[in-house]
Amino acid sequence: MPMSGRQIMTVEEIRRAVIRISHEIVEKQAGTSGLVLVGIQRRGVPLARRIADAIAEHEGVRLPVGALDITFYRDDLSLIAQSPVVKGTDLPFDLNGSTVVLVDDVLYTGRTIRAAMDALVDFGRPRAIRLAVLIDRGHRELPIRADHVGKNVPTSREEVVKVHLVEVDGVDEVEIERLPAPLGETVGVSGTTG
Amino acid sequence: MTLEIGASGSPASPVPEAAIPVSAQAPAWRHRHLLDVDVLDWSEIELVMTTTDAMREVLARPIAKVPALRGRNVTILFYEASTRTRVSFEVAAKNLSADVVNIAAATSSVTKGESLVDTIRTVEALGAQMLVMRHAVSGAPYLAAAHFGGSVLNGGDGWHAHPTQALLDLYTMREHLPGGSVAGRKVVILGDILHSRVARSNIWSLTAAGADLWLCGPSTLLRGFDRWAAASPRIPGHGRFQVTSDLGAALAGADVVMALRIQRERMAGGLLPSLREYAARFGLTRERLAAARPDVVVMHPGPMNEGVEIAPDVATDPRSVITNQVTNGVAVRMALLYLLAGVHGEGR
Amino acid sequence: MSATSGAAGHAGETSGVGSGEPVREAAGRRAGEVVAELEITRAWLVDPAAGREGPGEIVVSNGVLEAVTWLEGAEAKGVGPDGVVVAPGFIDLHAHLREPGNEDAETIASGLSAAAHGGFTTVCLMPNSVPALDEPSVLARVRAAAIASGSPVEALAHGAVTVGRAGEQLAALGELADAGIVGFSDDGACVANPTILRNAFLYAGMLGRPIIDHPELAELTRGSEANEGYIASVLGLKGWPAAAEIAAVERDIAVLAEVLRDEPGARLHLTHLSTAGALAAVRRAKAAGLPVTCDVTPHHVGFTDEWLAGARRWAWEALDANGAARDPWLDGALTAGPYDTSLRVNPPLRGPEEAAACLAALADGTADALATDHAPHTLVDKEVEFGLAANGISGLETALGVLLAAVDAGRLTLSRAIAALTTGPAAVLAGWPGVVASGDIRALAQPRGLVEGAPADLVVFDRSDRWRVTPESLASKGKNTPLLGRELSGRVLLTVAAGRIAYEEGAAGA
């Protein structure tokens, strides 16, 4: 079931967006003190690492990076059978009093972020939680807003935004595709085709 | 919802490797019920193991509780007295935020002669969505599964099966064996094999795992397993196991020894002369354990008769992982409740 | 063959077998009605009494078998044993019709309907009713119910050996014999006490009646759930040793052999044998000239213990080329769920080797008869945990189909199969040569055959026509058979008992 997508971000645009977000994060915090980055599994994690690398480059400070798996916090059990593999949560630092920057690839309905915040507060009480995403495609279903956005992309609900990252997919690019088939068929393959 | 998952890529992206063909990403868990280990292929057993890893991580959290089964009714229906297994399931379900209903046979209408099928229909009408069941009659959970609209998880039936125990045993072995695998490892199950659902379920999982499995006990408690032992290596994906009453041969070089509980009532049927004689001939003592590998893993599904099938100093020996089994039991049961919760309707 | 065989009605009477296609529509005749005119042309006749089978035609007039014509030469061309078959009516030595006492499971009326649907024109009722048939008044009730049913199927009965089948005190054997029972049995249980058995042989022998024993040493089978062996081990079911049957058979034969010195009329019939060892013992006893007969059941011939694990292949399909049991897990033969309580039966379904021994015994005559051990149960008694389920399989209506499956597979000849349902059981009832049976047993249980001038007593079935076993297709109230959902060959088109319609395919109420 090949889908030919339209490229909306190139390697270079992704690189620049990550650097810009990294500057914004430090600027908003007025420094790096108390900052931790938490990537949401799967593609939020490499993005968080890239942001940490960029901050290390321009600030000379290496921020702690954690990985958050929100599988157990999803509100739709029917997805378990399709993708039961849990990728793991690793938060090797104390969240209490820290400023957590949640990092994800795409912000859409907001439900993933809602689940991620639920998960985070089970680990401790951060002073603040912020949100950084590579793409904001709109269509929010919850009152959630990103603090740092790589690119705002107007989409329709019939479209799929696919972020590919070298660490996961072997290539850096963002594509937008129109759903060609009933939903059930695309859920299992999105993120890996192409 | 579905669109978000497809679009954001984060939570639901399946296997990361782009090279894996689309067909390999078919739903990885297809079972609505778990009645025995025999229906699980090796990739499914591995999935249970990795999901158990995730549950162990949850158990290590400051708040060892996730909302995965929030709003789900898990009814625990036990027709046999049991504290350990029932509590383990209850803790597992509560760690997943499920609503837990406990029904002990002694307090239910079972004693008034209500049939199992009626009871199943009743608990379903009362809102049960997942049913954890223990029953003294082999095969009873199959009857329950045929009449229950949700998922049935077998918590032990008669002599037949105890799948969560076998899976937690496998998990515990992998955790403690060098290299994290039981393949080629000599695993000895010692004791009352004939009446043991633990042994039967372990036969399926350990032969699938490629263990060098030995069943050992007095001949009265081993009867009938030789033919299964002969057939097992011919079953696709399963290795051989053997049956012996020679404890020395069984323990020699063993990597894992699991002692099973000897029940007092076995003497009534003439299966054993006395517990004293059993302890003298088959009890797991430190002296006997010296024949095993120095780093042998000692296990027991509990509850133990210390001084009968296992000497007290062996039970508390550093090589004993009996309390790890209990902890892993919660994690495995969380993993299975979680996996079963995602399958409806057409699942098996 | 059905394309060329068939029957033409006389005088406007529609026959049960139309030319070309078997008739499906109601033929307008009701069960119990005398067969006025019936002609079946170009069918395959099997007459074990005459030792003959082949193309032929029959004519029934006013309930009497007027003519049996064997076709030869050009007339016989195109008529074979694979189409419509006419045989003498079947006799079942062993059926539980549950009345009195358990009419929710079966009644005499529903049981006789089931018998007719299965091609049986004579059934012997086992005495384990509630109360047990241990005195003539119970027999009178049974007879009254049989008459009230309007069924022309002959309902014979066995009486209990001991009072209440409790194994302690002889039942009213003489009174029961005088009232017309055909044998004595405590079936459901063995006559456990060998002294009681010994005396029962003597007394029943004096009356010219056989002792029909259910051979099972209860001490070996207490709590047993499934044939002891591989399958029971895997399923965690308590083993049911073959030795429990073999030892009881050996004991019965030893006791009989000694009794014969004092009472030459003593006879032993062993029912529902399920093991090679027991059949070998019977073979030896027969070779020694002892008056021992036996039967096997359709389920012990056709089904095996691997069905408990979920296999559904015939017993002979579960053997490899060397005659050893195949492994259902290895073969991927598990097509149904495990622990189906319709498979719980006493004696238990055995392994494929034992089933092969039962089939071989039918083929070589060691087993004199096929007996259904028809044991209907309510859903309440079967829809429970396997170990708590009642023992028994509803078998009257599927016995022919199971035997024909063996015939279709080339494991049994059609003539042996029919003999095991007709002359075999008739001979068991009629008695051992030289034994004078009192009363009218001989008249009731005459060796069956296609005898001109006698009341028509026959079954017509079509081997080329399959039917599906469903709760609706079974006339028995007992739907407890593992064959539900399965197709069997040999649809019964017509059963005529004592010159009257017992069953007709497509007829009202059938």
Side-chain angles (χ1 to χ4, degrees):
Chain A
M1 192 185 57
M3 294 188 293
S4 56
R6 176 167 56 89
Q7 194 181 56
I8 54 171
M9 280 184 100
T10 63
V11 180
E12 188 53 29
E13 286 169 322
I14 292 173
R15 191 184 68 80
R16 281 201 298 270
V18 166
I19 290 172
R20 181 168 50 75
I21 290 171
S22 73
H23 282 287
E24 286 180 13
I25 288 171
V26 175
E27 204 174 307
K28 183 161 180 113
Q29 180 77 357
T32 56
S33 168
L35 266 183
V36 299
L37 301 175
V38 173
I40 299 174
Q41 293 275 23
R42 161 121 252 158
R43 288 174 185 75
V45 177
L47 277 177
R49 291 211 185 91
R50 290 187 192 191
I51 292 169
D53 289 346
I55 291 174
E57 200 158 295
H58 55 76
E59 301 294 319
V61 176
R62 170 132 316 256
L63 295 185
V65 176
L68 187 64
D69 187 304
I70 54 107
T71 310
F72 298 138
Y73 292 80
R74 292 195 309 224
D75 56 6
D76 186 353
L77 278 173
S78 66
L79 296 171
I80 294 171
Q82 294 174 359
S83 180
V85 180
V86 179
K87 290 156 206 94
T89 290
D90 182 26
L91 299 174
F93 38 71
D94 185 4
L95 287 178
N96 289 308
S98 66
T99 297
V100 175
V101 180
L102 274 175
V103 181
D104 204 0
D105 54 352
V106 179
L107 176 58
Y108 183 24
T109 61
R111 289 179 190 269
T112 300
I113 306 305
R114 191 278 308 158
M117 289 192 289
D118 283 354
L120 265 189
V121 299
D122 279 354
F123 287 88
R125 188 179 182 283
R127 197 178 65 79
I129 300 176
R130 298 201 176 116
L131 176 61
V133 297
L134 186 62
I135 304 284
D136 183 347
R137 59 168 293 192
H139 302 290
R140 215 75 75 240
E141 293 170 3
L142 298 172
I144 282 171
R145 170 185 68 75
D147 299 276
H148 314 290
V149 178
K151 181 170 181 147
N152 283 293
V153 181
T155 60
S156 81
R157 287 181 179 273
E158 285 69 45
E159 288 169 319
V160 177
V161 174
K162 298 190 145 193
V163 173
H164 300 286
L165 297 176
V166 169
E167 295 91 328
V168 179
D169 311 294
V171 62
D172 269 5
E173 66 172 348
V174 180
E175 285 183 322
I176 187 161
E177 289 170 355
R178 183 157 285 275
L179 277 178
L183 284 180
E185 290 184 37
T186 58
V187 167
V189 299
S190 64
T192 54
T193 44
Chain B
M1 274 316 299
T2 325
L3 270 176
E4 186 218 15
I5 297 304
S8 76
S10 285
S13 301
V15 194
E17 289 77 14
I20 291 184
V22 170
S23 60
Q25 299 164 15
W29 187 262
R30 61 199 164 93
H31 302 283
R32 175 153 70 98
H33 311 293
L34 184 68
L35 307 180
D36 195 5
V37 186
D38 62 349
V39 297
L40 301 183
D41 62 30
W42 185 247
S43 69
E44 291 168 333
I45 291 177
E46 285 281 12
L47 178 60
V48 174
M49 297 292 116
T50 54
T51 309
T52 304
D53 285 338
M55 296 304 176
R56 282 282 305 267
E57 183 267 308
V58 168
L59 289 176
R61 293 180 186 179
I63 298 173
K65 184 167 183 164
V66 291
L69 296 193
R70 196 173 52 196
R72 278 279 170 133
N73 178 312
V74 174
T75 294
I76 301 177
L77 175 63
F78 269 41
Y79 282 87
E80 246 185 12
S82 157
T83 304
R84 308 164 63 95
T85 308
R86 186 183 56 72
V87 170
S88 180
F89 272 112
E90 183 166 349
V91 170
K94 286 181 170 167
N95 287 348
L96 295 172
S97 304
D99 300 327
V100 179
V101 175
N102 255 300
I103 304 175
T107 59
S108 80
S109 48
V110 172
T111 46
K112 295 175 196 157
E114 184 179 74
S115 78
L116 175 62
V117 173
D118 279 347
T119 303
I120 297 301
R121 290 188 184 124
T122 303
V123 299
E124 184 165 2
L126 288 170
Q129 291 165 306
M130 306 186 77
L131 186 65
V132 178
M133 182 174 157
R134 169 166 289 191
H135 201 292
V137 177
S138 295
Y142 293 81
L143 179 67
H147 293 274
F148 186 62
S151 296
V152 176
L153 182 45
N154 185 3
D157 63 318
W159 306 349
H160 170 243
H162 196 347
T164 59
Q165 180 72 41
L167 291 165
L168 79 87
D169 288 340
L170 179 63
Y171 187 88
T172 307
M173 286 178 210
R174 284 156 57 115
E175 187 179 32
H176 290 91
L177 286 170
S181 165
V182 298
R185 298 291 185 170
K186 184 171 183 180
V187 178
V188 182
I189 302 180
L190 170 62
D192 183 356
I193 309 296
L194 179 64
H195 303 96
S196 176
R197 52 190 170 221
V198 175
R200 282 182 179 80
S201 283
N202 262 298
I203 288 173
W204 287 110
S205 51
L206 290 172
T207 56
D212 174 22
L213 175 60
W214 291 57
L215 306 181
C216 181
S219 53
T220 45
L221 301 179
L222 272 179
R223 206 176 67 242
F225 281 76
D226 47 344
R227 287 192 58 193
W228 190 356
S232 193
R234 294 184 283 122
I235 299 173
H238 289 263
R240 63 176 317 209
F241 69 94
Q242 47 201 305
V243 174
T244 181
S245 290
D246 182 343
L247 183 58
L251 290 181
D255 294 284
V256 178
V257 180
M258 182 192 303
L260 300 178
R261 178 178 173 81
I262 291 293
Q263 290 179 323
R264 202 167 283 275
E265 59 261 34
R266 298 299 170 229
M267 289 176 298
L271 291 163
L272 288 175
S274 69
L275 291 185
R276 176 173 45 81
E277 182 162 328
Y278 181 86
R281 285 180 175 263
F282 291 96
L284 190 59
T285 62
R286 209 167 251 184
E287 295 71 40
R288 289 194 172 121
L289 208 52
R293 288 173 54 92
D295 55 351
V296 64
V297 178
V298 176
M299 303 174 74
H300 193 298
M304 287 184 284
N305 284 315
E306 290 187 46
V308 183
E309 71 268 9
I310 189 165
D313 59 343
V314 173
T316 55
D317 190 282
R319 295 169 295 179
S320 159
V321 299
I322 295 170
T323 51
N324 301 64
Q325 286 176 274
V326 176
T327 310
N328 290 339
V330 173
V332 161
R333 288 170 181 126
M334 287 170 72
L336 289 166
L337 285 168
Y338 170 72
L339 290 170
L340 295 178
V343 183
H344 306 279
E346 77 289 351
R348 303 202 304 161
Chain C
M1 290 306 105
S2 64
T4 52
S5 54
H10 281 207
E13 179 90 39
T14 313
S15 84
V17 186
S19 55
E21 291 296 318
V23 173
R24 290 279 184 284
E25 70 274 16
R29 287 190 295 232
R30 309 188 69 84
E33 204 172 286
V34 171
V35 181
E37 294 290 341
L38 172 74
E39 183 177 337
I40 298 176
T41 59
R42 297 176 58 75
W44 187 263
L45 309 188
V46 181
D47 185 356
R52 184 165 186 187
E53 66 175 319
E57 301 181 341
I58 63 161
V59 178
V60 177
S61 182
N62 287 324
V64 174
L65 185 56
E66 295 261 291
V68 178
T69 312
W70 297 89
L71 302 179
E72 278 164 14
E75 283 187 304
K77 204 154 183 268
V79 181
D82 301 326
V84 172
V85 174
V86 180
F90 304 152
I91 301 171
D92 188 7
L93 290 176
H94 188 145
H96 301 272
L97 300 194
R98 304 298 186 210
E99 186 177 351
N102 287 294
E103 289 83 354
D104 48 346
E106 191 84 290
T107 61
I108 302 276
S110 64
L112 294 181
S113 288
H117 181 220
F120 290 90
T121 57
T122 302
V123 245
C124 300
L125 278 54
M126 276 296 168
N128 64 334
S129 49
V130 183
L133 204 168
D134 58 2
E135 55 168 24
S137 65
V138 184
L139 181 61
R141 274 179 75 174
V142 168
R143 284 224 169 111
I147 290 164
S149 77
S151 171
V153 173
E154 184 73 61
L156 303 179
H158 300 301
V161 177
T162 59
V163 175
R165 296 171 49 252
E168 286 163 7
Q169 186 186 339
L170 289 182
L173 304 188
E175 292 174 21
L176 285 166
D178 290 345
I181 64 92
V182 294
F184 295 107
S185 180
D186 275 356
D187 181 62
C190 193
V191 180
N193 182 333
T195 301
I196 297 280
L197 177 71
R198 181 185 164 89
N199 292 331
F201 274 138
L202 285 163
Y203 206 95
M206 174 184 82
L207 301 168
R209 300 295 197 282
I211 295 295
I212 298 168
D213 201 26
H214 161 131
E216 178 190 359
L217 289 194
E219 290 82 358
L220 264 178
T221 61
R222 197 150 289 138
S224 292
E225 296 169 301
N227 179 47
E228 186 165 87
Y230 176 40
I231 303 289
S233 293
V234 174
L235 295 182
L237 295 172
K238 187 170 195 294
W240 191 314
E245 176 175 296
I246 300 166
V249 165
E250 301 270 19
R251 179 205 69 163
D252 287 6
I253 291 172
V255 172
L256 173 75
E258 202 171 73
V259 161
L260 282 168
R261 284 189 239 139
D262 301 318
E263 174 48 67
R267 280 201 291 138
L268 169 64
H269 180 79
L270 294 154
T271 192
H272 55 52
L273 295 187
S274 64
T275 60
L279 290 160
V282 169
R283 206 170 276 125
R284 285 194 299 274
K286 287 185 164 188
L290 296 174
V292 177
T293 52
C294 73
D295 63 63
V296 295
T297 71
H299 44 274
H300 291 110
V301 167
F303 317 160
T304 60
D305 59 357
E306 68 172 20
W307 287 37
L308 272 62
R312 285 295 182 272
R313 58 188 170 190
W314 295 116
W316 46 89
E317 294 166 351
L319 287 172
D320 65 18
N322 302 318
R326 301 173 63 95
D327 187 314
W329 281 274
L330 174 66
D331 289 356
L334 304 179
T335 53
Y339 302 103
D340 185 338
T341 58
S342 71
L343 299 163
R344 187 158 157 80
V345 63
N346 176 357
L349 299 179
R350 305 287 187 182
E353 299 98 329
E354 307 280 12
C358 292
L359 185 54
L362 269 187
D364 72 13
T366 300
D368 302 83
L370 186 91
T372 66
D373 195 1
H374 176 72
H377 286 291
T378 60
L379 198 58
V380 169
D381 288 332
K382 279 292 195 182
E383 200 179 74
V384 294
E385 298 87 328
F386 188 85
L388 306 180
N391 282 309
I393 294 174
S394 181
L396 273 170
E397 292 163 90
T398 54
L400 174 63
V402 173
L403 268 194
L404 287 178
V407 174
D408 290 344
R411 307 282 168 159
L412 188 68
T413 64
L414 179 63
S415 60
R416 269 306 308 164
I418 300 301
L421 290 164
T422 55
T423 48
V428 170
L429 288 175
W432 203 252
V435 174
V436 179
S438 64
D440 52 359
I441 294 179
R442 281 179 176 281
L444 290 172
Q446 58 187 308
R448 298 303 161 108
L450 298 173
V451 184
E452 286 183 355
D457 194 280
L458 52 87
V459 55
V460 183
F461 57 92
D462 187 350
R463 289 186 63 200
S464 70
D465 191 8
R466 302 175 73 80
W467 64 287
R468 188 175 296 277
V469 184
T470 63
E472 298 73 34
S473 69
L474 295 178
S476 170
K477 294 173 88 169
K479 313 301 182 186
N480 49 303
T481 165
L483 296 173
L484 284 184
R486 191 156 179 147
E487 281 199 342
L488 296 176
S489 69
R491 182 194 293 271
V492 172
L493 304 177
L494 180 67
T495 304
V496 177
R500 294 195 287 154
I501 299 284
Y503 171 82
E504 182 164 17
E505 164 69 12

